[in-house]
Amino acid sequence: MDLILTARSLGQDHSEYTGLTGHGLSPSIHISGGTGGPRDPYRADITIRNEEGTAWAGVIHVELPFAKTSPRFFLPAFMYGTNRGEAPLNVPKEFPRLREGNPPRPASPWWMVRSDRLSHPAAFAYDNGMVYGLCASPYFIRSEGAIRQWRPDEEGDFYQYGGYSCSIAKGTVGYTLGYENAPWLFIKATLVKERAPLADNCFELEPGEAVTFGMLLYAYGAESELGVNAALQNIYYLYHQNPRQGAEPETAVADLAGAVHQYAWLPGEKSYSGFVIEDEAAPGGYRYNKIFSLTWTNGVSVAVPLLMASHRLGQEPMRRQALAFIEEVVEHSLNPATGLPFETYSNGQWSNHGWWFDGMHTPGHTSYLAGQAMYYLLKAYEYEQRFAGIVHENWLVFATRVLQRLEGTQNADHEYPYILSEKTGAGLEYDAFCGTWAMAAIAYWSWLTGDRTHLDSLKQSEAHYYHAYVRRMECYGAPLDADKAVDSEGILAYIKALRYLHAITGEPVYLEHMRAALEYEFTFKFCYNSPVKVPPLSTLGWSSCGGSVTSTANPHIHPMSSNVVDEMLYYAEQTGDAYVRDRMLDTAAWGCQTYNRYDMEFDYGKKGWMSERFCHSEGLVTETYADGSPASTWFALMPWASGCIIESLAGDYWERGSEKHDR
């Protein structure tokens, strides 16, 4: 296999990458073994020597070219296909996109990015029925005086990050010694920085010094984009590290649920605060951000995990608190004009004008929130029946009516709407994956009630979402604040739907599709512990492994993907799949170490407090300490984040997860 080696030197008067000899560098390349397959790649051993009498600093770029026709790229957690580069670019939320030619920001025909923006140290392309790609260590260490690539069994001091690249113009994927974030650095969807001059992102070689590094190279046939996952599974085991030791699962549930119960409940509003922030100037020493939502960042996505925890812990006050919000939703949230629930409220008035409203293109109800709310209402119904012996018929009646209304809004493709009219309930906008929350809720309802009325329709919807989104490894249009960026959130609902479709039908296809959906989610989930350099995460030994990047638009690690631990458990028990089991254990362990196990562990807050934003890469940092120095997390209790971890540990995993599936 041919490789292209170029470099950019510190201090050169242009930003182009040119041949190594012009930089005083000489390469030696040896490619050996393998077939190029996902479990048997070629091995490239490369040595680069500084032949000059002066030190060299810069970025070295190694590219793997392929014969391109219409390539789709996969840099895990960063690039999926083209990140919808074919869609309109004039959008309020920016995220990296690929498009040929000379497109305006946020699109470019090529990208370079530091290694810790990727969840796995690899870059792939799918074209002409072939997967092409490379894998190499995400960073370098200094060990026994020599610079070498890090591996999980290597000990040494951190030296420098590497990087990865893709080019739709040239048809290449690449790896760099040193790194650039180019042509732009996306910190989040509303904060983008221009390409920075070379500085501390350079790799350095003393006069006469050489560095030797290895790469795995892939070239194998595949029926679809899903083919990249076979290589990623192998790469997971090459670079895997366990998360740091955290609390026991039962302790984590008690800590997290106890903190939300004690500090976040606002009895006057019968809801949980969106944020709780320590503030000496505020009454009682706490300031509340009253983001009241039906679900998603608040609402039933908090109340139902606390209800689950209350049954596990025998905490009746916690249960009554959760029930108070659930009853508020059932009694007061319905929009009589549509038969759908309103999605937020203020001063006792329900509406659809939530914090996300001004970022939407079309106002109205959303299938993301309506479907998710009904899913969690049904989960509350099940847990109350299982653990308290109480059947809340009014909850089931409410959910049934809403789900019947949603079921009638599918288009000819059997896709649920993204946005529904708040005047009539009609579907206004489609082309989005968030409708899988409606599908998940209806599948759950069918399993709970034994009513198979909508089973054929569910099957048609599932087939559509699989072929249009999942099979292409490009799921977009779930969270309302990401402007249809490719994300990891919508797949969670799809995974939940598949669990119940399989439980109802026993048909193997739903396990096959569930595996594909889990593999897609795993591309956002870190397989190793990236060396964070900004406190408090850097000082704690906090682990990125097991945490998932939220989307290609908001690329921090957050806890939402923890809420499919039970679905991973279901799949592992049905199939005996060790890989899914190992990913499940990573996810559960990550949640047990990512909150305050004691007061101020994360430099803020009380025992059990947890934020939603974990900046595994300093290229994402926006928060600061009081003295203005950068911080790698938000300093607030965010109940929805806690709820995701509680849900992951207080469900079926509580009964049979950690004991049966320990490593």
Side-chain angles (χ1 to χ4, degrees):
M1 301 181 76
D2 294 327
L3 297 173
I4 302 169
L5 276 67
T6 56
R8 180 187 176 193
S9 294
L10 177 67
Q12 73 180 41
D13 58 3
H14 58 84
S15 60
E16 299 301 315
Y17 282 75
T18 55
L20 295 189
T21 56
H23 299 269
L25 304 174
S26 64
S28 171
I29 303 172
H30 177 65
I31 297 177
S32 61
T35 62
R39 293 175 178 81
D40 188 29
Y42 302 109
R43 167 83 187 190
D45 291 292
I46 302 171
T47 298
I48 296 178
R49 182 178 302 277
N50 178 9
E51 302 288 3
E52 298 294 314
T54 57
W56 181 86
V59 178
I60 298 167
H61 194 191
V62 183
E63 293 176 277
L64 172 67
F66 56 90
K68 69 158 187 163
T69 300
S70 181
R72 290 173 52 75
F73 292 88
F74 297 95
L75 281 63
F78 178 78
M79 182 63 63
Y80 291 80
T82 62
N83 275 2
R84 304 191 65 236
E86 71 282 0
L89 300 177
N90 186 18
V91 293
K93 301 292 179 69
E94 294 186 304
F95 47 89
R97 305 194 194 201
L98 273 168
R99 185 186 287 185
E100 294 205 63
N102 187 30
R105 199 178 92 181
S108 167
W110 60 274
W111 289 94
M112 302 178 76
V113 66
R114 195 169 84 174
S115 61
D116 59 352
R117 292 294 286 269
L118 275 59
S119 62
H120 297 64
F124 291 94
Y126 178 75
D127 200 5
N128 291 314
M130 292 287 293
V131 171
Y132 304 95
L134 56 84
C135 168
S137 178
Y139 59 94
F140 286 77
I141 58 173
R142 190 181 293 277
S143 176
E144 299 177 352
I147 298 170
R148 63 185 66 182
Q149 289 175 301
W150 169 82
R151 287 286 300 274
D153 56 354
E154 289 274 2
E155 294 186 0
D157 298 324
F158 176 83
Y159 172 68
Q160 181 59 278
Y161 286 104
Y164 300 91
S165 72
C166 59
S167 172
I168 198 170
K170 294 187 291 183
T172 64
V173 290
Y175 175 66
T176 63
L177 282 64
Y179 66 90
E180 285 203 77
N181 293 296
W184 299 283
L185 168 61
F186 284 76
I187 296 173
K188 57 182 180 179
T190 55
L191 182 58
V192 184
K193 291 188 177 182
E194 295 293 329
R195 183 181 190 179
L198 295 187
D200 57 2
N201 54 332
C202 290
F203 197 90
E204 298 177 352
L205 291 171
E206 295 298 322
E209 185 180 16
V211 60
T212 297
F213 57 98
M215 299 172 62
L216 302 178
L217 306 176
Y218 300 86
Y220 59 90
E223 293 183 359
S224 74
E225 292 88 331
L226 292 171
V228 304
N229 291 311
L232 286 173
Q233 179 173 334
N234 186 55
I235 290 165
Y236 167 84
Y237 286 109
L238 290 175
Y239 285 96
H240 178 256
Q241 293 175 294
N242 290 325
R244 69 173 178 148
Q245 182 65 45
E248 292 299 314
E250 295 84 355
T251 302
V253 170
D255 290 347
L256 290 160
V260 174
H261 171 69
Q262 179 177 352
Y263 295 104
W265 178 252
L266 300 174
E269 286 85 0
K270 293 184 181 179
S271 190
Y272 299 92
S273 177
F275 294 72
V276 182
I277 301 168
E278 294 171 305
D279 186 346
E280 294 180 357
Y286 301 104
R287 177 161 44 91
Y288 304 99
N289 187 335
K290 298 181 180 181
I291 299 175
F292 298 130
S293 302
L294 175 69
T295 186
W296 186 53
T297 75
N298 209 320
V300 291
S301 62
V302 178
V304 176
L306 257 68
L307 181 67
M308 296 167 65
S310 74
H311 287 301
R312 296 298 191 186
L313 302 169
Q315 292 288 335
E316 183 60 24
M318 185 183 294
R319 174 177 172 267
R320 290 198 302 268
Q321 189 185 85
L323 292 178
F325 180 77
I326 295 169
E327 290 289 355
E328 173 70 19
V329 169
V330 172
E331 292 176 9
H332 301 295
S333 70
L334 197 69
N335 176 359
T338 63
L340 299 170
F342 285 116
E343 297 168 355
T344 188
Y345 72 95
S346 178
N347 298 319
Q349 183 67 42
W350 284 88
S351 75
N352 288 322
H353 289 210
W355 61 269
W356 59 85
F357 175 77
D358 285 323
M360 296 167 61
H361 299 273
T362 306
H365 296 282
T366 69
S367 59
Y368 184 76
L369 295 174
Q372 186 185 91
M374 294 309 100
Y375 175 88
Y376 279 109
L377 181 59
L378 291 170
K379 194 160 194 173
Y381 175 88
E382 181 193 355
Y383 270 70
E384 279 284 278
Q385 187 173 30
R386 281 175 59 188
F387 291 97
I390 297 172
V391 177
H392 295 273
E393 285 292 347
N394 60 323
W395 297 4
L396 186 60
V397 168
F398 183 89
T400 300
R401 289 174 176 170
V402 171
L403 293 175
Q404 287 175 343
R405 187 72 187 91
L406 286 170
E407 179 64 20
T409 63
Q410 296 177 66
N411 65 11
D413 291 329
H414 303 284
E415 181 169 310
Y416 296 93
Y418 182 52
I419 306 295
L420 305 98
S421 168
E422 61 184 1
K423 296 179 180 178
T424 67
L428 298 179
E429 184 179 346
Y430 291 81
D431 186 35
F433 202 64
C434 68
T436 53
W437 271 113
M439 186 174 73
I442 295 168
Y444 193 8
W445 176 88
S446 297
W447 178 81
L448 273 175
T449 64
D451 189 325
R452 305 297 186 254
T453 301
H454 303 301
L455 184 57
D456 286 344
S457 176
L458 281 169
K459 289 182 173 183
Q460 291 173 315
S461 291
E462 187 280 328
H464 165 72
Y465 284 114
Y466 175 78
H467 289 285
Y469 298 90
V470 178
R471 193 171 186 269
R472 290 176 55 79
M473 295 274 287
E474 189 182 51
C475 301
Y476 58 88
L480 304 175
D481 61 345
D483 209 8
K484 294 190 179 181
V486 178
D487 66 72
S488 68
E489 293 186 22
I491 201 67
L492 308 178
Y494 179 77
I495 291 167
K496 291 175 184 292
L498 287 168
R499 171 189 179 175
Y500 291 110
L501 278 170
H502 180 262
I504 292 167
T505 68
E507 294 177 18
V509 66
Y510 298 117
L511 289 179
E512 295 168 13
H513 289 187
M514 195 173 183
R515 180 54 141 81
L518 287 167
E519 287 177 323
Y520 172 81
E521 203 291 304
F522 296 160
T523 68
F524 288 88
K525 189 179 295 296
F526 264 74
C527 70
Y528 73 101
N529 295 320
S530 59
V532 182
K533 297 300 179 183
V534 177
L537 303 185
S538 61
T539 58
L540 294 173
W542 175 89
S543 294
S544 52
C545 178
S548 295
V549 175
T550 169
S551 73
T552 55
N554 296 320
H556 58 280
I557 288 177
H558 79 158
M560 186 177 289
S561 294
S562 292
N563 74 25
V564 289
V565 162
D566 273 1
E567 284 67 35
M568 287 189 264
L569 177 63
Y570 178 88
Y571 183 87
E573 290 179 339
Q574 291 290 321
T575 64
D577 192 309
Y579 176 55
V580 172
R581 179 206 63 196
D582 289 344
R583 289 289 203 167
M584 174 192 74
L585 292 174
D586 286 346
T587 308
W590 181 83
C592 290
Q593 60 90 52
T594 202
Y595 73 94
N596 271 349
R597 295 172 296 169
Y598 49 83
D599 290 358
M600 297 292 292
E601 182 180 6
F602 281 72
D603 289 348
Y604 77 99
K606 304 298 183 183
K607 180 180 179 180
W609 282 35
M610 179 177 168
S611 162
E612 72 165 46
R613 183 176 169 89
F614 300 94
C615 297
H616 56 286
S617 169
E618 56 240 57
L620 308 174
V621 171
T622 58
E623 183 66 271
T624 60
Y625 286 90
D627 64 2
S629 59
S632 49
T633 190
W634 279 350
F635 296 135
L637 166 61
M638 301 183 69
W640 84 263
S642 306
C644 293
I645 305 302
I646 296 165
E647 183 181 356
S648 75
L649 302 174
D652 296 335
Y653 188 86
W654 178 286
E655 299 165 345
R656 60 182 192 272
S658 55
E659 290 184 5
K660 287 189 175 182
H661 295 276
D662 248 350
R663 284 192 172 96

